[in-house]
Amino acid sequence: MTRNAFYAQSGGVTAVINATACGVIETARRNRDRIGTVFAGRNGILGALNEDLIDTGQETAEAIAGLRSTPGGAFGSCRYKLKSLEDSAKEYQRLIDVFEAHDIGYFFYNGGGDSQDTAHKVSELGERLGYPITCIGIPKTVDNDLPLTDTCPGFGSVAKYVATSVREAALDVASMCETSTKVFILEVMGRHAGWIAAAAGLAKRHGDDAPHIILFPEVPFDDDGVLDRTRDVVERAGFCVIVVSEGARYADGRFLADAGTTDAFGHAQLGGVAPVLAQMVRDRLGYKFHWAVADYLQRAARHIASATDVEQAYAVGRHAVELALSGRNAVMATIVRTADQPYRWQLGEAPLEQVANVERTMPASYIGADGFSITDAARRYLEPLIAGEDPPAYSGGLPDYTVLRNAAADKKLAPFEA
Amino acid sequence: MTRNAFYAQSGGVTAVINATACGVIETARRNRDRIGTVFAGRNGILGALNEDLIDTGQETAEAIAGLRSTPGGAFGSCRYKLKSLEDSAKEYQRLIDVFEAHDIGYFFYNGGGDSQDTAHKVSELGERLGYPITCIGIPKTVDNDLPLTDTCPGFGSVAKYVATSVREAALDVASMCETSTKVFILEVMGRHAGWIAAAAGLAKRHGDDAPHIILFPEVPFDDDGVLDRTRDVVERAGFCVIVVSEGARYADGRFLADAGTTDAFGHAQLGGVAPVLAQMVRDRLGYKFHWAVADYLQRAARHIASATDVEQAYAVGRHAVELALSGRNAVMATIVRTADQPYRWQLGEAPLEQVANVERTMPASYIGADGFSITDAARRYLEPLIAGEDPPAYSGGLPDYTVLRNAAADKKLAPFEA
């Protein structure tokens, strides 16, 4: 029996989430006897609620293949969390109505923790509301905080970007430190966990290589400790490179980024932990400094994606379809590490109910005893994830990213009234 | 007759200044009958004043070749400007003493405007102080503001980085704008001229592609105009990507980055024009926003260097040595464009006295009539400069950059007392 599929991208996008979409759609197309049209939700689950479905069948094979090397979310993503079945009965009924109207029997949801929770709830539609649907979660998040999978597609490429950027910027600062900048601060993502900050540590190969100081959300920020260490490093190495997680915070839980700065009108100053830290360096150490905030650049940087990450992102998309076709339901496709060196991995699965709303934190054993560095255990975990290059095609000197037609499927229902 | 050479890197470093060093040293090595040792100044001209000379003869051919793909300044650079011969007689005499002690007959100085001024002054040592030296300037600056050369090595790679980053980040924002960030601001370098900001405009191929607004130092900043445009773009395209030059300023000359923000202690808030602009967007339009400051990441990003830029950086180094050997003196090696499409260029030369202290501004014809965009003329100029990729070698997932031994040559003089 042939039924159609729904695929959606959810939450913050990454450099490789479209590689997952590519894996889903190409695998579905190889199984046309079982899966008819793959409808993509425009802007994630909102596309289902609003019956705003993209008919991916209208995209050429070449366009779908191009997704493998295109960053961002090709169908649009959203930040939208479904409540429980009890609290949002209308929304769940609407999903069933839309799925039924378009003969959707497969639901693939590609996202992080909240999204796996949504996937889990949709999987309950079958039993609880009597609508037969096969529901598979697909991991994605630069935060690397999903449980039961060795890593989350998207993280390895951010890791490669930040480690590369730190290595490069450090060479710049090292050149100039005699007469110019002595402290360079790079702010990276990671509001709750220091995975991305830790990855920057891969830039260091020898003793006094950068980064010299990594500030993790997991380690309470202590002004004196950080500034003393900064001065020590500058005096010894001539310069100091600091990587700070956006989630760096004081022992009392206050974020550094909320350090109480105000503008000329007395309004609270907008985030950015790097400038706050730079200010401390200036006021208390007097060093010339520079700072950078990579923000979206880090998670969109497909041009320096990890080949391992791209391959895994594609693979979990393919595997999700294979799981569905083999009769699995209410599971998330996972990556299972079988060896560190040489790195080996295989695909697996985990029950959505065990994934939903569980946040994997970074092991304490990954942070050095000084609180400013990563351990060998962290390196063993992280190094394989940034391995290999998979550059996009270029034209005219710039990455030649794919833009889909994203043709809307005909609507069959009245508009949704929430 | 064989004489030794002095080579130094000056001012802010780039992703490709070491490619120029590679060109100088490899070419000198191919002319051992004329040029003995190439001494590099440790930290630019300071290395000459302090007799802190690096004996590049101790580096392997492989290490020197590795410079071609290593960012930063391998020998150290400096921000240090020699005054006139009249005002700094002791410094010039010291240069002569050091050159004489090490039999240096060739002086190669690799830098921007101030550095070409230094090169020019050193070239006067010959006539005015009776020391025979051949003096050649070599262009370098991400600011692209040297006259009499079509472009400055270093600029093309920053241009490629910012255009790539804007294209990538825009795909991210486009994916999320329905429920999340609607305005993204990227701050780029360019205190005096908008060359780098203009290059970001290359990311746009079609009508509503990003960047939607470019803020140049050349166009006085007008709050209302920029915010109105931002709102129009968000309403039409769903999101707005703004590229702002660090040199963006009001009509009265005040930099946006000096917008009078203060920290909790009342200290002036440290630069960063992106957060200032973000604040305006929040306060007056209410849109969710994100901002990034690329800072050193943009000029150190050898991993995404322009192949054209790398080739030209190497070529001006080679050409500088060839000019010296052919008896030319007091000139800077230049890049001469002979055709836009297909792009053709050749090497040339310009008298240092015409280069020194002349700043090339961006032609007004490169800025669109709206003041927020670039013209076709700008595209014709810029596009060839970002063409081609020349990735570094990778190992362990990261660029494998070269670190030199940088062995010091024996000192022959007493320390310099300024």
Side-chain angles (χ1 to χ4, degrees), chain B residues 252-292:
Chain B
D252 64 9
R254 273 181 309 135
F255 287 108
L256 251 74
D258 299 332
T261 56
T262 52
D263 67 11
F265 310 100
H267 298 144
Q269 176 76 10
L270 302 173
V273 55
V276 170
L277 189 56
Q279 190 110 356
M280 289 184 200
V281 168
R282 182 193 64 173
D283 293 346
R284 293 178 47 187
L285 300 177
Y287 293 133
K288 182 162 166 28
F289 59 85
H290 262 243
W291 53 267

Side-chain angles (χ1 to χ4, degrees), chain B residues 3-7 28 35-40 103-108:
Chain B
R3 294 189 75 194
N4 297 322
F6 175 84
Y7 165 79
I35 299 177
T37 298
V38 177
F39 293 111
D103 192 25
I104 288 167
Y106 304 97
F107 178 86
F108 299 105

Side-chain angles (χ1 to χ4, degrees), chain B residues 312-327:
Chain B
Q312 292 180 337
Y314 183 91
V316 292
R318 186 191 70 218
H319 190 53
V321 175
E322 291 167 349
L323 285 168
L325 292 176
S326 70

Side-chain angles (χ1 to χ4, degrees), chain B residues 152-169:
Chain B
C152 304
F155 170 68
S157 294
V158 176
K160 189 181 185 88
Y161 173 95
V162 299
T164 298
S165 297
V166 165
R167 178 169 288 180
E168 292 180 332

Side-chain angles (χ1 to χ4, degrees), chain B residues 303-383:
Chain B
H303 75 271
I304 182 109
S306 150
T308 303
D309 192 32
V310 174
E311 189 186 345
Q312 292 180 337
Y314 183 91
V316 292
R318 186 191 70 218
H319 190 53
V321 175
E322 291 167 349
L323 285 168
L325 292 176
S326 70
R328 306 294 297 141
N329 187 21
V331 295
M332 180 181 81
T334 62
I335 295 159
V336 180
R337 182 184 300 225
T338 56
D340 280 329
Q341 210 173 11
Y343 178 55
R344 289 188 210 286
W345 60 278
Q346 58 193 42
L347 293 159
E349 62 183 275
L352 282 172
E353 66 177 350
Q354 291 179 27
V355 173
N357 299 313
V358 177
E359 191 173 316
R360 179 174 67 160
T361 56
M362 191 166 72
S365 63
Y366 284 10
I367 300 178
D370 59 7
F372 298 131
S373 59
I374 58 171
T375 60
D376 288 344
R379 288 181 178 277
R380 274 194 301 279
Y381 171 73
L382 292 167
E383 274 172 354

